[in-house]
Amino acid sequence: MARLLQENGNAIADDSQRGTSGHASRAAMTSSSDVAEKPGDPVVRGTRLDANSGTTSAGRTGKGQRTRRRRGGGPGNPTLAAVLNVLLLLAGSFIIAVSFNIFLVPLGIASGGVSGISILVERLADIPPAYTQWALNVPLFLLGLWLLGRRFALKTALGSFILPLFVLLTSHWEAPTDNAMLASIYGGIGVGAGLGLVFRGRGSTGGLDLAAQLLHKFTGIRLGLAVACFDGLVIIAAGFIIKPENALYALVGLFVTSKTIDFIQSGFSMSKVAFVVSNHPDNIAQVVLHDLDRGLTKLGARGGYTDAERTVLMIVVSQGEVSKLKQLVRAADPDAFVIISDTAEVVGQGFSLP
């Protein structure tokens, strides 16, 4: 599955995939006194002046947050994080297996990957999909272990085994619909939601993304292109082995899966980023810091018409705080120029923890 497996493949290759994130309470992010990063660093209500650029950092650093992390009670606890990652992998694999069995298998929607190959093999040789998935995942895993190293193995071992197991255990579940379009949409949603949870747990379900990584490593082909090639071959094969219409439904399922993964990865609420250009940036900064209780970043800029030095304030807020931000900016400077746009994900203090 091209786009979704590319994200997971990148996570396996460089170990930089995002971890599980959650909204932190504002009380935990702020404290009665601000803490500078080191003696002499100026602090303005949680924003630290950067000595090189003259800008201020947008995050808040509270004593309660640092204390909790030192005691190991928060997301920084490696044991707790590992357990949570495993739970996300198990939950995601189960959702994938159920969606695969009740939506995709009955109607022959082979939307790429090892799962798609297993559907084709079932149609040709009447072999249960779980056995085909194990038969393909195990050698790919061993090859990846040999060529990509132990770090790779730790991220794929459990998923490569547990997903086919769940597929086997839920293979008798009945399909709720015989409409191919509904099956491709709901199957895509279920598979995407499951993969999104697996990726948030920094895991992998194995499959053709491993083959794509090997192809990328030894040929230099971009990972996304490699994954797309493998998925494309599976979908084309479905058009010949089953029927062309099924290949079209498989594309629909693949698209829905990709969008669902984006939604799960980015979270259930969209944040907003505001850029404020004003002749009175200090006044706006004070009301944002004190009245809105948000951090901000001061960016140096130059006017395109006047060529004068200006200060642009970058402020990240939740969706519910947009109206209050606009009111505060309007009261502080009615002539301020404000740009507000969506941002898919914010990781940091006051929002989601890394």
Side-chain angles (χ1 to χ4, degrees), residues 19-25 29 75 84 200 345-348 350-354:
T20 306
S21 61
H23 290 288
S25 66
M29 294 298 126
L84 185 56
R200 288 184 74 105
E345 183 174 13
V346 181
V347 178
F351 291 89
S352 299
L353 293 178

Side-chain angles (χ1 to χ4, degrees), residues 121-319:
V121 172
E122 184 195 38
R123 291 299 180 98
L124 291 173
D126 199 26
I127 297 175
Y131 298 125
T132 302
Q133 292 175 22
W134 270 320
L136 294 176
N137 276 344
V138 170
L140 283 172
F141 167 75
L142 294 176
L143 187 61
L145 175 61
W146 178 41
L147 297 176
L148 299 179
R150 294 179 61 185
R151 174 183 291 182
F152 162 84
L154 293 175
K155 288 184 173 293
T156 58
L158 182 59
S160 297
F161 171 78
I162 202 68
L163 177 58
L165 177 61
F166 283 147
V167 169
L168 182 63
L169 294 177
T170 60
S171 59
H172 63 283
W173 290 24
E174 295 184 2
T177 180
D178 58 358
N179 185 299
M181 179 59 74
L182 288 178
S184 63
I185 293 174
Y186 284 103
I189 291 174
V191 171
L195 284 171
L197 292 177
V198 170
F199 295 165
R200 288 184 74 105
R202 306 188 185 196
S204 167
T205 57
L208 288 186
D209 59 331
L210 312 185
Q213 287 180 66
L214 294 173
L215 185 64
H216 166 70
K217 180 179 177 66
F218 293 104
T219 66
I221 295 177
R222 289 188 299 107
L223 186 61
L225 178 60
V227 175
C229 288
F230 283 121
D231 283 343
L233 290 174
V234 174
I235 293 174
I236 292 173
F240 285 101
I241 295 173
I242 305 176
K243 57 182 178 180
E245 188 179 44
N246 285 54
L248 299 178
Y249 287 127
L251 289 174
V252 172
L254 189 61
F255 175 79
V256 174
T257 296
S258 174
K259 293 301 180 182
T260 305
I261 286 180
D262 287 344
F263 182 73
I264 297 296
Q265 291 284 72
S266 300
F268 292 95
S269 61
M270 296 288 289
S271 296
K272 301 285 186 178
V273 59
F275 294 93
V276 181
V277 183
S278 169
N279 291 323
H280 308 284
D282 292 336
N283 293 344
I284 297 175
Q286 289 301 312
V287 296
V288 169
L289 291 168
H290 292 274
D291 298 339
L292 191 61
D293 197 26
R294 283 294 182 191
L296 56 90
T297 298
K298 294 181 178 180
L299 307 174
R302 185 182 293 274
Y305 179 73
T306 64
D307 204 38
E309 294 289 344
R310 306 292 294 271
T311 297
V312 178
L313 304 179
M314 183 181 73
I315 309 159
V316 179
V317 295
S318 65
Q319 205 156 10

